[in-house]
Amino acid sequence: MKRRTSWISLTAVGLILSVALYGCATLSGLMNLGKLQFKLANVNGFRLNGVDVSRIASRGQIGPMDVLAIGSAVAQKRLPVDFTLNVDVKNPNSGANGAQATPLYLNKIAWTLLIDDRTTINGVTNQNLQIPGNGQTMTLPITMSLDLYKFFSDRGLDDLLNLALAIGGNQGSSSRLKMTARITATVPGTNIPITYPGDITIINQGFSNP
């Protein structure tokens, strides 16, 4: 509670300074920062130990040599995975119902990836992505690299292959993924980045916002 109170106090000071420096329009924009919305989109370019599985729909379509290479990696207690996770970002400040249309900039997202609710890797993506105030959805691609065996060593080869196909195969989706994230954004013209207090959980079923 003390940490949240401190953040609110600092935010209040920042808002007062913003009004003094930039006017009421900026205050409105800063208050709208909390409305940025996030959703996991699709997964692209999924490679399992160097094998591209993005065009493979089922376990039986993986060639025997590829299965041998993947099995060899598992026998060595490793299974490198690379893919791009696309995150949709939407700014609902479109000027509807007489409100001001306010574009926002997503500056930074400090994220942690969960697969089947298991915490895996984390990272920070710095990208000055403008989210226009017209309700349009923008996409933020985040490159992921991890050792799948490190987090799922309790599963056999078939289970690991099925997991990879469920996420990055031809008929895969991001439904088995979650992302917790700390968001930093800016209102154009202010150069004042604001980091949301606390993490949000981003999934592929509906938009989440702080």
Side-chain angles (χ1 to χ4, degrees):
M1 181 64 68
K2 183 180 294 183
R3 179 180 177 184
R4 182 176 179 84
T5 302
S6 298
W7 184 91
I8 293 174
S9 300
L10 290 173
T11 300
V13 172
L15 291 175
I16 293 171
L17 291 174
S18 296
V19 173
L21 292 173
Y22 302 105
C24 293
T26 294
L27 174 59
S28 175
L30 287 169
M31 294 301 289
N32 282 336
L33 279 173
K35 295 182 179 179
L36 271 181
Q37 300 175 346
F38 300 85
K39 177 183 177 182
L40 296 187
N42 59 326
V43 173
N44 290 335
F46 196 101
R47 301 186 71 85
L48 182 65
N49 195 42
V51 177
D52 184 359
V53 302
S54 61
R55 297 182 180 182
I56 298 174
S58 66
R59 164 75 170 77
Q61 294 178 359
I62 304 177
M65 295 303 295
D66 289 337
V67 173
L68 181 62
I70 295 170
S72 176
V74 172
Q76 298 175 46
K77 298 184 178 181
R78 63 181 185 86
L79 191 56
V81 167
D82 302 281
F83 61 93
T84 298
L85 176 59
N86 293 310
V87 179
D88 285 344
V89 189
K90 185 167 68 173
N91 177 5
N93 304 311
S94 60
N97 300 320
Q100 181 181 3
T102 307
L104 301 172
Y105 285 97
L106 175 63
N107 302 125
K108 181 173 74 173
I109 176 169
W111 51 265
T112 298
L113 178 70
L114 289 83
I115 303 177
D116 282 355
D117 290 321
R118 293 191 188 185
T119 301
T120 62
I121 59 172
N122 56 61
V124 177
T125 299
N126 294 287
Q127 183 170 334
N128 200 29
L129 180 67
Q130 182 178 8
I131 318 298
N134 58 9
Q136 178 183 358
T137 298
M138 305 296 291
T139 300
L140 174 68
I142 302 179
T143 300
M144 305 280 185
S145 296
L146 68 145
D147 184 347
L148 201 63
Y149 185 87
K150 176 180 178 180
F151 304 102
F152 295 94
S153 60
D154 58 325
R155 301 191 183 183
L157 176 59
D158 283 342
D159 285 342
L160 291 171
L161 289 173
N162 289 332
L163 175 60
L165 289 171
I167 298 170
N170 180 256
Q171 298 179 9
S173 75
S174 57
S175 63
R176 295 175 73 166
L177 306 179
K178 287 182 183 178
M179 178 182 288
T180 60
R182 181 72 59 92
I183 308 298
T184 301
T186 303
V187 174
T190 67
N191 294 320
I192 301 175
I194 290 184
T195 300
Y196 298 132
D199 295 343
I200 64 171
T201 299
I202 306 172
I203 59 175
N204 78 335
Q205 297 176 346
F207 281 91
S208 305
N209 63 281

